[in-house]
Amino acid sequence: MDFRMLGPLEAWHDGVPVPLGDQQQRFVLIVLLLHSNKPLSADRLTEIVWGANPERRTLIRGYINKLRKAFAPADDVAIETTATGYLLRVSPEQLDLHRFDRWREQARQEQEPRRQIELLRAAVDLWRGRFLEDIDIDRVGGTDVISPADSYFDTVGDLAELELTTGDHRSARDRLRRIVGKEPDRQRHAELLMRALLANGDRVEAIRVFHSTRDALAELDLEPGLKLRNIAARAERGEPTSSLPSRPGGFTGREDELALIATAAGTGEKAVWVSGAPGVGKTGLAVEAAHRLRERFPDGQLLLRLNGFTPNVAAMTMGDALTQLLLELGVPAEQIPASPGRKITMYQNELYGTRTLILLDNAKSAEQVHALLPEAPDCFAIVTSRRVGEPDTGQQVRLAPLPPDDAAALFCTLAGPLRVTGRAPEVAEVVKRCGHLPMPIRVSAALFRRHDRWPLEHLLRLLAESGPWHADTGNDAGAAAVRVSYQQLGEHQQEMFRLLGHTPGPHVTVAGAAALMDNALTQTRLVLDELHEVCLVEELTPERYQMLDPLKEFAAAEPGEHTDAVLRLLDFYLVTLADAAGTAYPFERARLPAVTRKSPVARTFETTAAAAAWITAERDNLVAAIRYAATHDLPEHSWRLAVLIWRYFHTTSQFDDWAETMELARRLVTADKDNTVGQAHVLLRLATVHNRRGELTEALELARRALPCWVRLGDARGEATTLCAIAIPTMELGRHAEAITLFEVALEKYEEVGDLRGQAHALSNLGYLNELHGELDVALRQHRAAVPILREIQHTQGLAHVLNNLGSVRQRLGFASEALIDHREAHQLAAEVGDECVMAYALSNIGNVHRSAGRIPEAERYQEKAAGIAAGVFDADLRTRLFRDRAATAQAKGDHVEALRLYKAALELAATSGNRGHRAHADRGVAQTLHRLGRHGDAVANWEAAEKEFTALDLPEAGQVRAERAELTCACRDEMG
């Protein structure tokens, strides 16, 4: 007999539907099916179906008899009578719900895409409508019944991904249309449908789908995600993603090198490495080659500047490079993991199945780019560098100066053929003075083109008179062209050019350049435009400029005062960052250090999104500014910038930059004994990053050192914040009573100063501690009090944290449905602000709810997602919690070997960080698992360690462990003292 719940309730036997009786009888059957192969008492059955009508218990027997009669022809199903009630004996394979889960799990384990598609199609085809479509769920368990609808939508999405990868776009399109038509706010399915439509050439319909989804999301006050917007942009453009600049004007020569690159791209090479001296035209050749190869790589052409030899700018790290590439590929920022290893995996997966070209410009070394080279067979990379590549970085292309004829042709093309007709000897002399290098030839041609009354002799005389390049370039001839252009600039243009050579970051906006020049925005824009016109700066994006490395070296070598100018730029960053941090994180505004510096061109922000976008765009410049200030006797700028950007690093889990900038700031403020304000702020935020890393002792020591600073300042808000920073590692180290006192004192201080964010923070932590000690009603009340406060002040990240805690308490109180709502909202909010840590907590908690309801495959799926995200977040508490949660799920599944591995991993992490609560729970898990594996003697030490630690922490689990062991009859009990 086959029971079907994925749609209207049905039972079939030998190809014929089985009559299931009236609605009451069907309710009884569903309850038995949902508890199949488990005894269910008559009282419980009555309670589920009829609620507060215990007199209906007498009806149970009659309905059971009718069902037995209906099932009589089948020999593979039976309703057995137990001592207290009934048990439906049926093979799991007879339930469509079980087959759905099994086929999904088999597809997950399968390696061959075609077989995965077969399994997922079979699973999806089981669905005939909504889960138990014709049944009132409240009559068969209500909130205890966890619908598999989310799993269905996930499966359809997974299947569509595979079908798109294998080229079966129409199957994916037809299936997705039904879903998106009914529920247009499902972004993932809209993305996949649009991809399928584009693959079939239907751009108009893809745009219609985007508009429909955008409108549905707007009704929920949500914006379409970056990936959806990128696909829509591609549909509107009719082109794939491309960040290539326009082709170099008048590109001339290099045909042999271009042919070599084209051959490598067409014969399975994964990369070519183009090397050569500054100004020799490496980037121009690479961009020209990339444009010529666009048809061969229709899925995208991406350019990434690695800053390998950019003056005053650190070379881009592999992790940052991967982040930029993933963003270019359309991966939403909140989905990009923090660890380089996870980024590499995601990057290579995004490229798999595509034909994408990656241009990696200005590489410092082979080590910098190894992980960036595509592994996918149909992708290709072009790398440029001053250094020669390694054997494993692809075909080598070494550029020399242009042949004289090609150099002359380039100059003639750029300068205007009419002005140089018949002047071949003079042109040859010009390009010789330029060292036959494309960059100085372009600069000279731009200068000559601008002065339309100059004869070639005048240009030649200027080139001859020009002094050598002050930078150590090794090519005086090439430098002459730059010097002539520089000498022909006006006073303001020369000053701007020279000062840009001293900027600490890789690029600068018009506003930043205005600060540098102490000039108005409109005048600065004109100056930059003139420098751009003569090829001395490049415009990266609207209003953002970058100097090529050789030019920046030249500019920095020019004599002249620059200290005050860079100070004005740092003032601009400081004042603008103060406004951006206060706007992006309004709940943090009262805690920010005061900024008294002024900048007439500093930006202000009206929206959270605009402020956060500015911080993200200026991140590299801000970190460079902190480093510069720290090494140029500007401690106030360094520590204030570091403190102002800490929340951004905290939210995005960028621990390395956070710790580095704070350590720089700490050295500066502690060297000045009178800088109490700086010490208070820096020690507090440095304590936070140590706590996030699981370095609890260090975090506690730093926070304790910060507290007297706040007391001396008379700052009650700062004092309360620091008390919480002391309380958190104190709590994790197992001193719960002390932590409760600290949080309570902090709460009082927050209330005194009217700090709503602080009150919510203290309340939620008190709720967490009360949950640990079994005071669930108190914990529920405290978390519920914190939620509206955080909604009011729009502290999205804090609200996500509290909802996770609230959901955990509700789950323990038996409110599974409400718990799921809390955890899902927590996940959504965390995704909005890009907080991977809270996203992972939420996913694991959703898995816990599913596990408690017996839905092990669902629990595994959510917790695997959580583990994937957490792999890139080096938060010790999160990673320990995930090991414990996944171990509990493996244990529930009966996979005791895996459970033991995970519990031991949790125990090791807890021992390293010193978190006693985690250690006690992990010891208990190890003991339980060893017991189930029959290794009773090995389990004794863990039983005893868990009981001892729980007792020391005064947690209710101490009594639970004693009771659990008392019921055992093996050595686990015998060894009890």
Side-chain angles (χ1 to χ4, degrees):
M1 187 168 291
D2 181 25
F3 293 97
R4 304 176 184 179
M5 293 182 281
L6 302 179
L9 177 66
E10 294 178 359
W12 289 71
H13 179 60
D14 288 342
V16 178
V18 178
L20 298 177
D22 63 21
Q23 196 74 333
Q24 305 283 334
Q25 184 169 308
R26 293 161 74 86
F27 291 157
V28 172
L29 172 59
I30 290 169
V31 174
L32 291 172
L33 287 169
L34 293 174
H35 295 79
S36 59
N37 301 308
K38 298 177 184 176
L40 194 65
S41 71
D43 288 339
R44 179 59 179 150
L45 190 52
T46 304
E47 180 186 0
I48 292 173
V49 177
W50 288 288
N53 294 297
E55 65 276 5
R56 297 293 184 93
R57 186 179 189 279
T58 57
L59 301 176
I60 293 292
R61 182 178 297 176
Y63 286 129
I64 294 293
N65 287 335
K66 290 178 182 179
L67 288 171
R68 284 171 171 163
K69 184 175 181 181
F71 300 159
D75 58 3
D76 55 358
V77 60
I79 302 177
E80 301 174 1
T81 301
T82 67
T84 57
Y86 303 95
L87 181 149
L88 176 64
R89 184 77 66 187
V90 63
S91 167
E93 288 301 312
Q94 295 172 251
L95 308 180
D96 61 350
L97 188 57
H98 172 82
R99 294 198 300 278
F100 174 71
D101 286 338
R102 182 170 63 81
W103 288 337
R104 288 176 60 240
E105 177 61 21
Q106 287 179 354
R108 191 180 67 82
Q109 304 283 352
E110 180 63 52
Q111 300 298 316
E112 206 282 307
R114 295 290 179 186
R115 178 58 180 155
Q116 287 179 306
I117 290 173
E118 290 175 7
L119 289 164
L120 292 180
R121 281 178 176 170
V124 168
D125 289 345
L126 291 171
W127 287 74
R128 299 163 291 108
R130 290 182 292 106
F131 176 62
L132 293 175
E133 188 174 280
D134 57 343
I135 299 297
D136 180 356
I137 295 296
D138 287 338
R139 297 295 303 277
V140 295
T143 58
D144 290 335
V145 178
I146 308 297
S147 170
D150 285 348
S151 300
Y152 167 72
F153 289 116
D154 287 344
T155 304
V156 171
D158 295 344
L159 174 57
E161 293 273 12
L162 286 165
E163 289 173 332
L164 289 171
T165 300
T166 56
D168 189 359
H169 310 120
R170 293 181 180 178
S171 295
R173 177 197 63 190
D174 296 343
R175 190 179 299 104
L176 290 164
R177 265 181 170 158
R178 293 192 291 270
I179 290 178
V180 177
K182 292 179 181 178
E183 300 185 51
D185 57 347
R186 291 192 171 274
Q187 284 204 69
R188 182 193 182 198
H189 298 86
E191 292 166 7
L192 291 165
L193 175 56
M194 290 173 66
R195 285 173 55 192
L197 290 165
L198 288 174
N200 282 282
D202 197 343
R203 290 172 51 202
V204 173
E205 184 60 23
I207 293 170
R208 285 192 187 125
V209 169
F210 173 74
H211 289 162
S212 175
T213 298
R214 181 195 60 193
D215 294 344
L217 291 170
E219 293 178 7
L220 303 172
D221 291 328
L222 297 173
E223 291 286 334
L226 176 62
K227 193 170 186 179
L228 192 64
R229 296 198 304 271
N230 283 348
I231 297 172
R234 179 182 169 189
E236 290 168 353
R237 293 194 312 265
E239 298 176 354
T241 300
S242 178
S243 56
L244 290 180
S246 58
R247 300 176 88 151
F251 185 90
T252 303
R254 304 292 194 199
E255 291 301 327
D256 290 344
E257 291 88 347
L258 288 167
L260 193 154
I261 294 172
T263 300
T267 55
E269 292 277 353
K270 70 176 181 179
V272 293
W273 185 287
V274 180
S275 60
V280 78
K282 300 181 293 295
T283 301
L285 171 69
V287 171
E288 175 68 18
H291 277 282
R292 294 191 184 191
L293 292 169
R294 287 181 77 131
E295 289 188 6
R296 185 171 291 172
F297 299 100
D299 294 320
Q301 309 90 35
L302 310 181
L303 167 66
L304 183 66
R305 301 187 190 278
L306 297 173
N307 302 327
F309 296 92
T310 305
N312 304 330
V313 179
M316 183 176 285
T317 66
M318 180 184 67
D320 287 345
L322 288 164
T323 296
Q324 293 301 316
L325 288 169
L326 287 167
L327 288 171
E328 292 276 2
L329 289 167
V331 178
E334 68 273 8
Q335 293 181 12
I336 298 175
S339 77
R342 291 289 300 169
K343 284 180 184 176
I344 292 169
T345 301
M346 178 179 283
Y347 167 65
Q348 297 295 352
N349 286 342
E350 286 291 324
L351 291 178
Y352 185 79
T354 73
R355 288 175 291 169
T356 302
L357 184 146
I358 310 293
L359 200 168
L360 303 169
D361 186 44
N362 194 7
K364 187 172 185 64
S365 64
E367 289 73 21
Q368 187 186 23
V369 302
H370 271 137
L372 311 180
L373 300 179
E375 296 174 359
D378 295 323
C379 295
F380 185 66
I382 304 174
V383 186
T384 72
S385 177
R386 293 186 187 179
R387 291 180 176 172
V388 176
E390 300 292 338
D392 60 351
T393 56
Q395 183 77 36
Q396 300 295 308
V397 178
R398 181 70 176 177
L399 292 189
L402 288 168
D405 288 347
D406 287 344
L410 175 61
F411 181 84
C412 292
T413 301
L414 296 172
L418 292 177
R419 292 183 66 189
V420 295
T421 300
R423 307 299 302 275
E426 290 83 356
V427 169
E429 185 62 24
V430 167
V431 297
K432 180 180 179 182
R433 293 279 183 182
C434 293
H436 299 121
L437 297 173
M439 187 200 72
I441 290 173
R442 288 179 179 278
V443 172
S444 295
L447 181 66
F448 186 66
R449 189 174 61 247
R450 192 180 189 201
H451 295 275
D452 58 1
R453 294 184 181 274
W454 282 10
L456 269 176
E457 289 81 1
H458 182 67
L459 176 62
L460 271 170
R461 185 168 63 252
L462 293 174
L463 288 170
E465 293 172 355
S466 174
W469 195 325
H470 285 265
D472 184 17
T473 64
N475 192 304
D476 292 345
V482 180
R483 175 156 296 285
V484 168
S485 285
Y486 174 70
Q487 291 170 342
Q488 296 303 311
L489 295 173
E491 180 183 352
H492 293 304
Q493 288 79 10
Q494 281 193 355
E495 183 183 11
M496 175 66 81
F497 178 79
R498 181 176 54 79
L499 292 177
L500 287 174
H502 296 281
T503 54
H507 40 71
V508 68
T509 61
V510 171
L516 198 67
M517 281 277 291
D518 196 18
N519 213 338
L521 286 171
T522 51
Q523 288 181 286
T524 303
R525 194 173 284 112
L526 289 173
V527 171
L528 286 168
D529 189 56
E530 290 168 349
L531 292 177
H532 182 259
E533 183 182 353
V534 293
C535 301
L536 294 178
V537 296
E538 300 296 323
E539 190 172 20
L540 289 177
T541 60
E543 302 274 289
R544 189 177 295 277
Y545 290 85
Q546 180 183 47
M547 214 175 229
L548 295 178
D549 293 353
L551 294 174
K552 194 167 187 179
E553 291 172 4
F554 180 95
E558 283 299 292
E561 173 59 36
H562 65 271
T563 304
D564 290 344
V566 177
L567 180 59
R568 289 192 298 270
L569 178 61
L570 295 182
D571 284 342
F572 163 75
Y573 286 140
L574 183 62
V575 177
T576 305
L577 180 58
D579 188 82
T583 305
Y585 312 106
F587 51 86
E588 197 70 28
R589 191 175 288 119
R591 292 173 176 75
L592 298 178
V595 172
T596 58
R597 304 290 297 186
K598 304 296 181 184
S599 176
V601 292
R603 288 194 56 185
T604 59
F605 302 92
E606 297 295 327
T607 66
T608 296
W614 184 87
I615 297 173
T616 300
E618 294 288 345
R619 171 197 173 281
D620 291 345
N621 288 331
L622 293 169
V623 172
I626 294 168
R627 292 170 179 154
Y628 178 94
T631 55
H632 287 78
D633 197 27
L634 294 168
E636 290 295 305
H637 286 80
S638 186
W639 79 257
R640 290 179 193 274
L641 284 167
V643 170
L644 287 169
I645 201 173
W646 87 272
R647 174 63 69 173
Y648 169 77
F649 288 145
H650 176 56
T651 299
T652 55
S653 297
Q654 296 184 41
F655 294 160
D656 290 343
D657 286 322
W658 182 4
E660 181 207 345
T661 54
M662 280 297 170
E663 280 293 345
L664 285 173
R666 182 185 64 81
R667 288 198 287 272
L668 295 171
V669 297
T670 53
D672 180 1
K673 295 181 179 179
D674 295 328
N675 192 353
T676 306
V677 174
Q679 292 171 25
H681 280 285
V682 172
L683 291 172
L684 173 60
R685 299 314 176 194
L686 190 55
T688 307
V689 70
H690 279 286
N691 188 78
R692 289 289 307 274
R693 284 174 154 177
E695 297 156 357
L696 303 181
T697 304
E698 295 87 342
L700 187 57
E701 173 61 24
L702 287 163
R704 283 174 170 166
R705 287 174 56 193
L707 185 59
C709 296
W710 292 108
V711 173
R712 286 199 299 275
L713 292 169
D715 188 323
R717 178 182 281 108
E719 190 178 343
T721 304
T722 309
L723 286 169
C724 289
I726 295 171
I728 290 172
T730 299
M731 170 181 66
E732 293 175 343
L733 288 168
R735 303 199 292 274
H736 293 177
E738 183 182 343
I740 288 172
T741 300
L742 289 165
F743 281 127
E744 288 175 343
V745 174
L747 179 58
E748 290 177 5
K749 290 184 178 295
Y750 282 134
E751 290 171 344
E752 288 172 9
V753 297
D755 189 324
L756 294 176
R757 181 263 173 196
Q759 293 173 40
H761 180 61
L763 280 168
S764 181
N765 277 288
L766 286 168
Y768 176 73
L769 281 162
N770 277 306
E771 180 193 354
L772 289 180
H773 287 269
E775 301 291 341
L776 299 182
D777 290 334
V778 176
L780 183 67
R781 186 167 64 252
Q782 289 169 327
H783 289 315
R784 292 179 68 177
V787 167
I789 295 175
L790 294 167
R791 290 194 194 279
E792 178 185 344
I793 64 174
Q794 299 180 334
H795 184 0
T796 305
Q797 184 186 29
L799 178 58
H801 270 289
V802 174
L803 286 170
N804 260 335
N805 291 338
L806 177 59
S808 177
V809 173
R810 280 178 162 157
Q811 181 186 342
R812 291 185 62 182
L813 287 168
F815 305 128
S817 180
E818 291 88 341
L820 273 180
I821 292 171
D822 291 334
H823 294 315
R824 283 172 176 158
E825 185 181 1
H827 180 265
Q828 179 184 351
L829 293 172
E832 287 177 10
V833 297
D835 191 329
E836 293 181 326
C837 184
V838 181
M839 287 170 63
Y841 274 122
L843 289 169
S844 190
N845 286 331
I846 292 170
N848 290 340
V849 176
H850 283 298
R851 183 182 68 241
S852 66
R855 298 192 56 76
I856 305 304
E858 287 300 287
E860 288 183 303
R861 185 170 65 85
Y862 278 102
Q863 287 170 352
E864 283 174 5
K865 285 184 178 181
I869 293 174
V873 180
F874 297 98
D875 184 293
D877 183 80
L878 168 66
R879 301 181 83 173
T880 312
R881 171 72 65 176
L882 288 184
F883 278 132
R884 285 178 48 201
D885 289 347
R886 291 168 61 207
T889 300
Q891 198 174 59
K893 183 183 178 181
D895 189 349
H896 302 309
V897 173
E898 176 66 3
L900 182 62
R901 183 187 70 80
L902 292 167
Y903 275 130
K904 284 185 173 181
L907 187 59
E908 182 179 350
L909 265 180
T912 300
S913 68
N915 190 310
R916 295 174 65 189
H918 279 319
R919 192 167 63 212
H921 282 285
D923 264 318
R924 184 184 186 185
V926 170
Q928 291 173 331
T929 310
L930 287 171
H931 168 72
R932 290 185 172 94
L933 289 169
R935 295 166 56 183
H936 307 297
D938 294 339
V940 171
N942 297 102
W943 282 120
E944 292 178 346
E947 183 179 341
K948 180 180 179 182
E949 198 68 90
F950 282 134
T951 301
L953 295 171
D954 194 26
L955 294 179
E957 284 83 354
Q960 295 170 13
V961 171
R962 283 192 291 272
E964 191 175 355
R965 295 184 72 189
E967 293 181 1
L968 302 178
T969 58
C970 59
C972 295
R973 173 192 175 96
D974 292 343
E975 297 294 329
M976 290 177 63

